[in-house]
Amino acid sequence: MAVAMASSGSALALCSNLKAIEKQPNPRAAPFICSLGSDPVQLPYIISNRNLSSSTSTFIRKASQAAAVEGGSSKELDAIPTPIVIIDQDSDPDATIVEITFGDRLGALLDTMNALKRLGLNVVKANVYLDSSGKHNKFAITKSSSGRKVDEPELLEAIRLTIINNLIQYHPESSAQLALGAAFGVMPPSEQVDVDIATHIHVYDDGPEQSLLCVETADRPGLLVDLVKIITDINITVKSGEFDTEGLLAKAKFHVSYKGKAIIKPLQQVLANSLRYFLRRPSTEEASF
């Protein structure tokens, strides 16, 4: 993702009086080591992009039934809130902002911060606020190697899946509320989202130098990487954006441009048609034909 912004930030002391609950090791699952840029990154899953016509394969160790609750309580309520994970590239020029909400059930998320550090990231700022929708845990993160905000779509997707994996591990009840619960959780969603019905794509004018692309569709592993690839394959630049995981759905907003200018109407239609084709395309393997 072409988001080139200078960044700086010093590491602040975080939650010094809280104790993290360590994750139980899983002898059956081994981390996958890959390299994003020049720095090795240890991921708790494997992402394999075969092609855009088929869903991305991701393997993450599943949370156990008896998983501990990370910094929170293990209360079981009938009304399970909708988990929300927001990755925001717009609001801070120097850091990637991550926000996690799951009603009022989340604790300090120290283990989640440690998992992000294992991806080669620094959590330079953290805060918590409350509103009518629940408790919001907000982190500002940068790359340890450069001190800059994250701009690689593969690493942004790794951040998203790492957070969701931790959420399912420490709050197994969230599994049934997440599309990714079918792959990572102990309880898959009881309802499946119809991709044709759930997919909405709009392009809006956003000044003379960029346009705003809004995409809403059924969530799946690797979706962020695929969206950026589809956009850049038709020579459109992704300048910045926000990617939200809201239960079974994914909602993305990208600031895009073509040769430094806003996208003209004919190209907007090409972009929308390309995204709609790939998002609604059946995930049948080419080898089956």
Short mmCIF file of all heavy atoms in Angstrom, two decimals, residues 36 41 43 45 87 119-121 143 150-160 224-225:
data_model
loop_
_atom_site.label_atom_id
_atom_site.label_comp_id
_atom_site.label_asym_id
_atom_site.label_seq_id
_atom_site.Cartn_x
_atom_site.Cartn_y
_atom_site.Cartn_z
N LEU A 36 8.88 -9.89 5.58
CA LEU A 36 8.18 -8.78 4.96
C LEU A 36 9.19 -7.65 4.84
O LEU A 36 9.58 -7.07 5.83
CB LEU A 36 6.99 -8.34 5.81
CG LEU A 36 5.89 -9.39 5.94
CD1 LEU A 36 4.86 -8.94 6.94
CD2 LEU A 36 5.24 -9.64 4.60
N VAL A 41 9.57 -12.01 10.10
CA VAL A 41 8.37 -11.86 10.89
C VAL A 41 7.86 -13.23 11.26
O VAL A 41 7.76 -14.11 10.41
CB VAL A 41 7.27 -11.09 10.11
CG1 VAL A 41 5.99 -11.05 10.91
CG2 VAL A 41 7.75 -9.68 9.78
N LEU A 43 4.80 -15.39 12.27
CA LEU A 43 3.35 -15.33 12.24
C LEU A 43 2.77 -16.59 12.85
O LEU A 43 3.32 -17.68 12.68
CB LEU A 43 2.84 -15.23 10.78
CG LEU A 43 3.39 -14.07 9.95
CD1 LEU A 43 2.78 -14.12 8.57
CD2 LEU A 43 3.10 -12.74 10.61
N TYR A 45 0.28 -18.10 11.79
CA TYR A 45 -0.52 -18.71 10.76
C TYR A 45 0.23 -18.63 9.45
O TYR A 45 1.26 -17.98 9.34
CB TYR A 45 -1.88 -18.01 10.58
CG TYR A 45 -1.73 -16.54 10.51
CD1 TYR A 45 -1.38 -15.92 9.32
CD2 TYR A 45 -1.87 -15.76 11.66
CE1 TYR A 45 -1.18 -14.58 9.26
CE2 TYR A 45 -1.67 -14.41 11.59
CZ TYR A 45 -1.33 -13.83 10.38
OH TYR A 45 -1.14 -12.48 10.35
N ILE A 87 -8.49 -1.14 11.51
CA ILE A 87 -7.12 -0.77 11.18
C ILE A 87 -7.18 0.53 10.40
O ILE A 87 -7.69 0.57 9.27
CB ILE A 87 -6.41 -1.87 10.38
CG1 ILE A 87 -6.32 -3.15 11.22
CG2 ILE A 87 -5.02 -1.43 9.94
CD1 ILE A 87 -5.68 -4.31 10.50
N LEU A 119 5.44 -9.54 15.69
CA LEU A 119 5.37 -9.28 14.25
C LEU A 119 6.38 -8.22 13.82
O LEU A 119 6.40 -7.81 12.65
CB LEU A 119 3.96 -8.82 13.85
CG LEU A 119 2.84 -9.83 13.96
CD1 LEU A 119 1.51 -9.19 13.57
CD2 LEU A 119 3.10 -11.05 13.10
N GLY A 120 7.22 -7.76 14.74
CA GLY A 120 8.19 -6.73 14.43
C GLY A 120 7.62 -5.33 14.52
O GLY A 120 8.03 -4.43 13.78
N LEU A 121 6.69 -5.13 15.48
CA LEU A 121 6.01 -3.85 15.63
C LEU A 121 6.23 -3.28 17.02
O LEU A 121 6.47 -4.02 17.98
CB LEU A 121 4.50 -4.01 15.38
CG LEU A 121 4.11 -4.61 14.03
CD1 LEU A 121 2.63 -5.00 14.04
CD2 LEU A 121 4.40 -3.64 12.89
N LYS A 143 6.52 0.20 12.81
CA LYS A 143 7.46 -0.89 12.55
C LYS A 143 8.73 -0.69 13.38
O LYS A 143 9.29 0.41 13.42
CB LYS A 143 7.79 -0.95 11.06
CG LYS A 143 6.62 -1.36 10.19
CD LYS A 143 7.04 -1.61 8.75
CE LYS A 143 7.39 -0.32 8.05
NZ LYS A 143 7.65 -0.55 6.61
N VAL A 150 2.89 1.26 9.38
CA VAL A 150 2.85 0.07 8.53
C VAL A 150 2.21 0.45 7.19
O VAL A 150 1.11 1.03 7.16
CB VAL A 150 2.05 -1.06 9.19
CG1 VAL A 150 2.02 -2.29 8.30
CG2 VAL A 150 2.64 -1.39 10.55
N ASP A 151 2.86 0.10 6.09
CA ASP A 151 2.27 0.39 4.79
C ASP A 151 2.16 -0.83 3.88
O ASP A 151 1.59 -0.74 2.80
CB ASP A 151 3.03 1.50 4.07
CG ASP A 151 4.53 1.22 3.96
OD1 ASP A 151 4.94 0.08 4.27
OD2 ASP A 151 5.26 2.12 3.57
N GLU A 152 2.69 -1.98 4.29
CA GLU A 152 2.56 -3.19 3.48
C GLU A 152 1.23 -3.87 3.75
O GLU A 152 0.90 -4.18 4.90
CB GLU A 152 3.69 -4.17 3.79
CG GLU A 152 5.09 -3.63 3.55
CD GLU A 152 5.69 -3.00 4.80
OE1 GLU A 152 4.92 -2.69 5.74
OE2 GLU A 152 6.90 -2.81 4.83
N PRO A 153 0.44 -4.15 2.71
CA PRO A 153 -0.86 -4.80 2.93
C PRO A 153 -0.73 -6.18 3.57
O PRO A 153 -1.59 -6.59 4.34
CB PRO A 153 -1.47 -4.88 1.52
CG PRO A 153 -0.34 -4.65 0.58
CD PRO A 153 0.66 -3.81 1.29
N GLU A 154 0.37 -6.92 3.26
CA GLU A 154 0.55 -8.24 3.86
C GLU A 154 0.72 -8.13 5.37
O GLU A 154 0.18 -8.94 6.13
CB GLU A 154 1.76 -8.93 3.25
CG GLU A 154 1.62 -9.29 1.78
CD GLU A 154 1.97 -8.13 0.86
OE1 GLU A 154 2.36 -7.05 1.36
OE2 GLU A 154 1.85 -8.29 -0.37
N LEU A 155 1.47 -7.13 5.82
CA LEU A 155 1.68 -6.96 7.25
C LEU A 155 0.42 -6.43 7.93
O LEU A 155 0.10 -6.81 9.06
CB LEU A 155 2.87 -6.03 7.51
CG LEU A 155 3.30 -5.85 8.97
CD1 LEU A 155 3.50 -7.19 9.68
CD2 LEU A 155 4.58 -5.02 9.05
N LEU A 156 -0.31 -5.56 7.25
CA LEU A 156 -1.58 -5.08 7.81
C LEU A 156 -2.57 -6.24 7.99
O LEU A 156 -3.28 -6.32 9.00
CB LEU A 156 -2.18 -4.00 6.90
CG LEU A 156 -1.45 -2.67 6.86
CD1 LEU A 156 -1.98 -1.79 5.73
CD2 LEU A 156 -1.57 -1.95 8.20
N GLU A 157 -2.60 -7.15 7.02
CA GLU A 157 -3.47 -8.32 7.15
C GLU A 157 -2.99 -9.24 8.26
O GLU A 157 -3.79 -9.82 9.00
CB GLU A 157 -3.52 -9.08 5.81
CG GLU A 157 -4.39 -10.33 5.83
CD GLU A 157 -5.89 -10.06 5.93
OE1 GLU A 157 -6.29 -8.89 6.12
OE2 GLU A 157 -6.66 -11.02 5.82
N ALA A 158 -1.65 -9.35 8.41
CA ALA A 158 -1.12 -10.15 9.51
C ALA A 158 -1.52 -9.56 10.85
O ALA A 158 -1.84 -10.30 11.79
CB ALA A 158 0.41 -10.23 9.39
N ILE A 159 -1.51 -8.25 10.97
CA ILE A 159 -1.96 -7.58 12.20
C ILE A 159 -3.41 -7.92 12.48
O ILE A 159 -3.79 -8.28 13.61
CB ILE A 159 -1.76 -6.06 12.08
CG1 ILE A 159 -0.27 -5.70 12.06
CG2 ILE A 159 -2.46 -5.33 13.23
CD1 ILE A 159 0.00 -4.26 11.67
N ARG A 160 -4.25 -7.81 11.46
CA ARG A 160 -5.68 -8.08 11.63
C ARG A 160 -5.94 -9.51 12.08
O ARG A 160 -6.69 -9.76 13.04
CB ARG A 160 -6.40 -7.80 10.30
CG ARG A 160 -7.91 -7.95 10.35
CD ARG A 160 -8.54 -7.53 9.04
NE ARG A 160 -8.49 -8.56 8.03
CZ ARG A 160 -9.51 -9.37 7.72
NH1 ARG A 160 -10.64 -9.28 8.39
NH2 ARG A 160 -9.39 -10.26 6.78
N LEU A 224 -7.88 -8.22 2.79
CA LEU A 224 -7.22 -6.93 2.64
C LEU A 224 -6.16 -6.97 1.55
O LEU A 224 -6.06 -6.07 0.70
CB LEU A 224 -6.60 -6.51 3.97
CG LEU A 224 -5.74 -5.24 3.98
CD1 LEU A 224 -6.51 -4.05 3.44
CD2 LEU A 224 -5.24 -4.95 5.39
N VAL A 225 -5.36 -8.04 1.54
CA VAL A 225 -4.31 -8.18 0.52
C VAL A 225 -4.92 -8.28 -0.87
O VAL A 225 -4.46 -7.65 -1.83
CB VAL A 225 -3.44 -9.41 0.82
CG1 VAL A 225 -2.40 -9.63 -0.28
CG2 VAL A 225 -2.74 -9.26 2.16
#
